[in-house]
Amino acid sequence: MTSLGALRSDDREEAETAFLRFGGHIFELLPSGAAYWRAERALLVADLHLEKMSSFARSGQLLPPYDTRVTLARLEADLGRTGAQTVIALGDSFHRDEGTRSLLEGDRARLRELTQRASWLWLSGNHDPAPHGLGGLCLPHLERQGLVLTHEPSHGANGLIAGHLHPAARVMINGRSVRRPCFVHDGRILLLPAYGATTGSINILGPAFTGLFHWEALQVTMLGRDRLYPVSPRRLING
């Protein structure tokens, strides 16, 4: 099976975590897709899409509703790993607004415990624009330390951290292509990969990203199973 571990030596070394400087701040990138802002003791996550499978079930697609449990376990592990005191969820935390009401009791209790363990800031997304009462504070966006944190990126922005687009990168390795979610930024806009257990992804070479980044300054870090892989934009392929 082809894996990212086969990247040639002309790419930077793989690592369990990676660090990037953005907007004058240092962020620690985690293999889960979260970013830890150590100076603010804040864990940033995008596009949890909790209760996605239960949303599908209501439309007649009978799928096991375990995605929320897996995503919350991932969050719990990242909180323990980083010691973050604040969680900033960058929108689309729930796949639909009604997801806040369809949580299984065990998942609701686990989420309640997590929101008591750290301060939570829920930013609204296009899937979940309405405020809720699950703990923490619901905001349309957040400005902190000269940066703007929001759900959807905007062309021409500067110092913006967002999600929404579920970025992924594809590279060719030993004659086969590998596609994985990724962090991507150009010094002006930083996009986080989708964090949820059952979220899809979009290739950053696709039309959804056209004109968003300054290509010459692009930095891409792909997620592996338990490692991060910074890759040169020259290696990116479509698909």
Side-chain angles (χ1 to χ4, degrees), residues 99-131:
T100 61
R101 300 185 296 274
S102 66
L103 286 163
L104 297 175
E105 189 52 44
D107 294 335
R108 187 179 298 274
R110 191 171 203 171
L111 181 56
R112 186 183 306 117
E113 180 183 338
L114 292 175
T115 58
Q116 292 171 350
R117 181 173 168 183
S119 299
W120 280 63
L121 300 175
W122 304 91
L123 307 189
S124 59
N126 58 297
H127 279 260
D128 58 352

Side-chain angles (χ1 to χ4, degrees), residues 11-66:
D11 283 291
R12 285 167 286 180
E13 293 296 322
E14 65 185 71
E16 291 187 11
T17 60
F19 295 87
L20 68 81
R21 179 180 293 275
F22 179 81
H25 302 274
I26 301 296
F27 295 87
E28 180 182 356
L29 309 182
L30 306 181
S32 63
Y36 182 50
W37 191 356
R38 187 175 298 277
E40 294 292 308
R41 302 291 299 274
L43 186 71
L44 278 56
V45 291
D47 298 282
L48 306 180
H49 284 271
L50 301 173
E51 294 298 281
K52 181 177 180 179
M53 293 298 100
S54 68
S55 177
F56 284 179
R58 282 192 295 275
S59 66
Q61 303 179 58
L62 300 181
L63 299 169
Y66 303 134

Side-chain angles (χ1 to χ4, degrees), residues 191-213:
L191 294 188
L192 271 61
Y195 191 88
T198 56
T199 51
S201 62
I202 303 174
N203 193 315
I204 59 175
L205 299 184
F209 296 85
T210 299
L212 189 61
F213 294 112

Side-chain angles (χ1 to χ4, degrees), residues 3-15:
S3 72
L4 284 169
L7 283 171
R8 294 196 306 266
S9 59
D10 57 347
D11 283 291
R12 285 167 286 180
E13 293 296 322
E14 65 185 71

Side-chain angles (χ1 to χ4, degrees), residues 30 36 38 41 43 72-85 87 114 117-118 195:
L30 306 181
Y36 182 50
R38 187 175 298 277
R41 302 291 299 274
L43 186 71
L72 292 179
R74 188 177 297 166
L75 269 170
E76 186 174 21
D78 280 344
L79 277 173
R81 175 178 186 169
T82 62
Q85 296 180 351
V87 175
L114 292 175
R117 181 173 168 183
Y195 191 88

Side-chain angles (χ1 to χ4, degrees), residues 14 20 25 37 44 59-60 75 80 86 91-92 96 109 154 157 172-173 176 187 194 204 215 219 225 229 238:
E14 65 185 71
L20 68 81
H25 302 274
W37 191 356
L44 278 56
S59 66
L75 269 170
T86 300
D92 283 2
R96 291 286 185 267
S154 55
M172 188 69 70
I173 302 172
R176 295 189 178 185
I204 59 175
W215 187 261
Q219 294 189 32
R225 184 179 298 274
Y229 299 85
N238 286 298

